[in-house]
Amino acid sequence: MPKSRVVRIGLLAALVVAAVAGVLVFRAVGDSSASAAPGAQQQQAKPWVGVSFTRTPSGLTIAAVIADSPADKAGLTRGDVIKAVNGTAVATAQELSDQLKDKQVGDTLTLSIDRGGQTQEVSVILEAQPAALPKAIPLLPELEGIPADQLFGHVQGGQFNFTDEQGNQFTVNIDVGTVASVDAGTKTLTLNLNAGGSKTYTVEDKAIGAKLSDLKEGDQVAVMRVGDDVRAVVQGVGPLLPGLGRGQGLGGCGRGHMGQFGEWGGKQYGGSTTPQQAPEEAPAPGSSTGL
């Protein structure tokens, strides 16, 4: 088997294990507000509406409404086009966000909306932004409940067995841990392994992934090797997880994404999305903004 192919297969194996550790990056986004002290949360409570929205040819269009949110209680629905807030016309996400920056919990917003060609005014009473909910881990529910900042330490590493074109078996080892020391000059990297103990590696220039010069003590990494031959060093494995959403979150509403079966949904923190019909001009995947 060509060496390049071995590297590609081995790297894929590394990413399977490393992706589990990567959940913590996205979990941290969802857990950040929940980690604050209760008193601080109460003092710094931010108002929210409970919608995600996107630009369509009609204007700022609501893409999703969170169940039991202020928007849901006010009767806002998916497909409503926001034209003005408290009498001030809004045409961009920034203009809409600006209308909330000086508002407090308990204030009322009067939204002028277009619904099916009919202009309506809807009053929304702002509530405190709820605490963020941790991301679920459907593939490994056994890891749910572990604080985001501790999840990486629960990845122990492991090994994958392969056979080459002649049927000879070789083993790809995945070592996971934090950098204890690194020396780009001597091409050495020492990890404190999550599974216990430490290990020092010689990382040649041919290795895929992070450069030793970019690593520092305390970085969380996964090393993929065959025997003592290091094939890859993966740093910051969170970005390797696909499909967890793009887009901005304003007012704690989270990150929009295209739901299963092509249904437009908003993956929102603090509640579930109310299922509704898609607007006539469906938003593009990953383009929604929360409020």
Side-chain angles (χ1 to χ4, degrees):
M1 177 182 294
K3 186 172 183 180
S4 61
R5 187 178 177 190
V6 173
V7 171
R8 289 196 300 270
I9 293 175
L11 183 57
L12 176 62
L15 301 189
V16 170
V17 175
V20 176
V23 175
L24 74 90
V25 174
F26 296 97
R27 285 276 301 276
V29 174
D31 290 347
S32 60
S33 65
S35 63
Q41 278 188 341
Q42 183 69 24
Q43 189 175 16
Q44 301 175 3
K46 295 181 180 180
W48 80 317
V49 176
V51 297
S52 64
F53 53 89
T54 188
R55 285 293 303 275
T56 71
S58 297
L60 286 173
T61 302
I62 294 178
V65 178
I66 298 177
D68 299 322
S69 68
D72 187 28
K73 295 173 184 177
L76 290 172
T77 63
R78 192 176 193 174
D80 288 344
V81 181
I82 303 172
K83 295 296 187 180
V85 178
N86 292 340
T88 301
V90 292
T92 67
Q94 184 60 55
E95 290 175 352
L96 183 56
S97 178
D98 288 345
Q99 295 301 310
L100 258 74
K101 64 182 180 181
D102 295 325
K103 297 297 185 290
Q104 304 294 325
V105 173
D107 287 350
T108 298
L109 291 182
T110 300
L111 302 182
S112 297
I113 65 169
D114 183 290
R115 177 180 296 170
Q118 299 293 321
T119 301
Q120 302 182 30
E121 289 197 347
V122 178
S123 295
V124 180
I125 300 175
L126 299 178
E127 298 179 5
Q129 175 187 325
L133 297 177
K135 291 282 188 180
I137 311 176
L139 183 63
L140 293 172
E142 295 86 353
L143 296 178
E144 293 180 7
I146 298 174
D149 60 354
Q150 299 177 21
L151 186 56
F152 182 89
H154 288 259
V155 183
Q156 301 294 291
Q159 61 184 35
F160 295 81
N161 295 321
F162 297 89
T163 55
D164 62 19
E165 291 176 336
Q166 288 73 45
N168 301 311
Q169 180 173 301
F170 65 95
T171 300
V172 175
N173 292 279
I174 311 297
D175 300 330
V176 182
T178 56
V179 175
S181 64
V182 59
D183 189 327
T186 60
K187 301 182 179 180
T188 56
L189 169 67
T190 299
L191 294 186
N192 290 324
L193 299 174
N194 291 354
S198 63
K199 186 173 180 63
T200 299
Y201 309 86
T202 298
V203 183
E204 301 293 344
D205 294 338
K206 64 182 179 180
I208 296 173
K211 297 179 180 180
L212 292 186
S213 58
D214 293 333
L215 298 177
K216 62 182 183 303
E217 183 178 346
D219 282 348
Q220 299 172 335
V221 300
V223 172
M224 189 270 287
R225 60 184 174 85
V226 177
D228 291 328
D229 184 11
V230 175
R231 304 294 176 84
V233 179
V234 181
Q235 178 193 17
V237 291
L240 299 175
L241 279 179
L244 287 186
R246 307 171 182 85
Q248 298 170 283
L250 295 178
C253 287
R255 301 171 182 265
H257 75 299
M258 181 68 79
Q260 63 177 352
F261 308 123
E263 174 187 351
W264 174 259
K267 193 68 171 181
Q268 308 293 347
Y269 301 139
S272 60
T273 300
T274 304
Q276 298 172 352
Q277 295 296 317
E280 183 177 349
E281 300 102 344
S287 65
S288 74
T289 303
L291 184 70

